[in-house]
Amino acid sequence: MAASSSSFVFAAALLVLAAATAAQAQRETKLRVFWHDVVSGGPNSTVAQVAEAPTTNASATGFGAVVVIDDPLTDGPNLTASRLVGRAQGMYVAAGKDALSLMMAMNFVFAGDGPYNGSSLAILGANPAERAVREMPVVGGTGVFRFARGYCQATTRWFNATTGDATLLLQLARSAQAPAAAMAKASLQLLLLLCVGAVAWAADDGGGGGAGMTKIKVYWHDVVAGPNPTAIRVAQAASTNASSTYFGAVVAIDDPLTSSPAAAAAGEVVGRAQGTYMFADQRVIGLLMDMNFVFTAGDHNGSSLAIMGRNEVMSPVREMSIVGGSGKFRMARGYAEARTVDSGFKSGETIVEYTLFVKA
Ligand SMILES: *[C@@H]1O[C@H](CO)[C@@H](O)[C@H](O)[C@H]1NC(C)=O
Ligand SMILES: *[C@@H]1O[C@H](CO)[C@@H](O)[C@H](O)[C@H]1NC(C)=O
Ligand SMILES: *[C@@H]1O[C@H](CO)[C@@H](O)[C@H](O)[C@H]1NC(C)=O
Ligand SMILES: *[C@@H]1O[C@H](CO)[C@@H](O)[C@H](O)[C@H]1NC(C)=O
Ligand SMILES: *[C@@H]1O[C@H](CO)[C@@H](O)[C@H](O)[C@H]1NC(C)=O
Ligand SMILES: *[C@@H]1O[C@H](CO)[C@@H](O)[C@H](O)[C@H]1NC(C)=O
Ligand SMILES: *[C@@H]1O[C@H](CO)[C@@H](O)[C@H](O)[C@H]1NC(C)=O
């Protein structure tokens, strides 16, 4: 991208962001990473198609295909020669009936020795893949990116190791095959250049609360076994059963939230966690959580919070973004910390303490 055009978008975003949160100390940054959606290569593939409609294969745009991703992010365009800076974990859905357009819901999870190691950004947006430049919102972040807002711009790069660039996405749009099948045949990699422009976030308050911050503690009960499960697997890839991290499994949840760490049946239910989580990591058990905490009793009855983030379930504390809210939580931003109370290996009921830090 030309330097002049990127400075222009950067400046434009600064104005909007400053208006939205003028009261807070803001920091802005601009990142550039290359996103590699590796659909070829059998075991080296970083994506798994987990659901489709009966009509998907006949659709020129793959309409209805749902793909879970654990895509490498690098600092240069060549996957093997560049430095790995993180991974894009989550999913995309082919959500264009007449044109190839993807709904992207993913976390950019940063790793390595850079300043963003351990931090993440949540991206949720439309990716009309045939356009030269697509812009998607950055809706939240964790770690150094707590309270982040921003946008990213994606440009497709198509590299054939022998011949150089080609336009994979146009090729797909003209194909009568599902994207995964078409890409597998091409046996190449799609590279998207993502320029995460003007991510802004408020100064970290140290995690303890701070001015205007509401702290809420609830216990999340994920009942996967027994006669009355609150979490049901709704989709998976052909390869999911062979994956040690269940890569590709998608679970719909209606999990009780209680005010105490006891089993849900014994506790006071204050709400429900409704949405999905999906297994989006090929190395460790790492989930993309996409859920609403819907309060049905207590101080927050009638209000809700929207949470999106990465949940590496074996780590002691996981941070996820609170990306919005309703009722008394309108315009909310914040973050959640999750700590496992009971893994549920014996009971079939996983209990996790969620501490929510909300600015509303
Ligand atoms: C998978 O990756 C390994 C290591 O980079 C490589 O040797 C192998 O050829 C790849 N397999 C396929 C099917 O691309
Ligand atoms: C769609 O195509 C894929 C790959 O060719 C095949 O495995 C799958 O069974 C097809 N699905 C339907 C519903 O026809
Ligand atoms: C990245 O952070 C993790 C902890 O979050 C740490 O274990 C790891 O060593 C760090 N990696 C580098 C390269 O600094
Ligand atoms: C990517 O890097 C590898 C290793 O350095 C090199 O062999 C390959 O030719 C490069 N690919 C392209 C498209 O430049
Ligand atoms: C990639 O390059 C090879 C070698 O020139 C060629 O045979 C193949 O058709 C190219 N693929 C695409 C999709 O352009
Ligand atoms: C995966 O395993 C479950 C049982 O654990 C079974 O019901 C399902 O059919 C398997 N799926 C595939 C694609 O093999
Ligand atoms: C929660 O609010 C609804 C209406 O908004 C009300 O009907 C219900 O009784 C309330 N529940 C509790 C436990 O306060």
Side-chain angles (χ1 to χ4, degrees):
M1 176 188 300
S4 57
S5 68
S6 55
S7 355
F8 170 73
V9 290
F10 186 52
L14 272 178
L15 288 176
V16 174
L17 290 160
T21 44
Q24 296 162 359
Q26 294 285 310
R27 281 177 282 169
E28 283 88 24
T29 194
K30 203 163 123 187
L31 311 169
R32 168 180 276 222
V33 294
F34 290 82
W35 179 91
H36 305 262
D37 199 44
V38 184
V39 297
S40 64
N44 296 343
S45 168
T46 63
V47 309
Q49 185 163 328
V50 300
E52 63 189 19
T55 52
T56 295
N57 280 3
S59 159
T61 59
F63 182 53
V66 180
V67 177
V68 174
I69 61 172
D70 182 10
D71 285 344
L73 299 172
T74 63
D75 66 351
N78 183 328
L79 177 56
T80 48
S82 306
R83 200 168 59 93
L84 186 75
V85 296
R87 308 197 71 89
Q89 300 181 330
M91 66 154 181
Y92 53 79
V93 180
K97 210 171 159 319
D98 303 317
L100 182 61
S101 185
L102 307 174
M103 197 285 291
M104 316 290 292
M106 58 189 173
N107 294 305
F108 278 16
V109 183
F110 293 94
D113 54 8
Y116 310 125
N117 181 23
S119 299
S120 73
L121 288 169
I123 293 167
L124 179 65
N127 181 5
E130 289 164 68
R131 291 201 198 143
V133 181
R134 294 85 71 183
E135 193 166 301
M136 292 169 252
V138 173
V139 297
T142 64
V144 301
F145 295 123
R146 272 182 194 167
F147 303 106
R149 315 228 59 178
Y151 62 91
C152 76
Q153 292 182 329
T155 312
T156 301
R157 298 280 187 91
W158 172 234
F159 286 91
N160 183 320
T162 318
T163 59
D165 293 17
T167 312
L168 174 69
L169 295 171
L170 284 175
Q171 207 175 310
L172 276 177
R174 291 174 190 149
S175 153
Q177 289 170 307
M183 288 192 238
K185 276 198 184 130
S187 189
L188 286 165
Q189 294 162 6
L190 158 70
L191 307 183
L192 280 190
L193 164 62
L194 286 186
C195 216
V196 182
V199 176
W201 67 99
D204 185 3
D205 73 341
M213 191 91 93
T214 305
K215 184 174 164 184
I216 301 166
K217 194 171 277 198
V218 291
Y219 295 85
W220 179 94
H221 302 260
D222 195 51
V223 184
V224 297
N228 222 344
T230 62
I232 52 174
R233 197 191 281 202
V234 296
Q236 62 185 343
S239 56
T240 296
N241 280 5
S243 159
S244 61
T245 61
Y246 311 106
F247 183 63
V250 180
V251 177
I253 60 170
D254 182 8
D255 286 348
L257 298 171
T258 64
S259 54
S260 78
E268 185 201 347
V269 174
V270 296
R272 327 242 357 141
Q274 299 179 329
T276 63
Y277 58 77
M278 67 193 63
F279 292 78
D281 193 308
Q282 294 180 308
R283 283 151 203 80
V284 296
I285 297 183
L287 311 175
L288 166 68
M289 311 294 291
D290 232 335
M291 58 188 174
N292 295 304
F293 277 17
V294 182
F295 292 95
T296 55
D299 292 348
H300 315 302
N301 186 14
S303 298
S304 74
L305 286 168
I307 294 176
M308 180 176 174
R310 176 172 188 258
N311 184 359
E312 186 186 336
V313 300
M314 295 304 176
S315 86
V317 185
R318 292 86 74 185
E319 185 175 322
M320 294 164 229
S321 305
I322 295 172
V323 299
S326 70
K328 65 188 281 194
F329 296 127
R330 274 182 193 164
M331 316 290 178
R333 325 257 336 135
Y335 61 98
E337 287 177 353
R339 294 174 177 85
T340 302
V341 174
D342 183 339
S343 67
F345 284 138
K346 277 198 199 137
S347 60
E349 175 175 344
T350 303
I351 304 174
V352 180
E353 176 193 273
Y354 273 80
T355 309
L356 311 173
F357 297 90
V358 186
K359 274 185 188 162

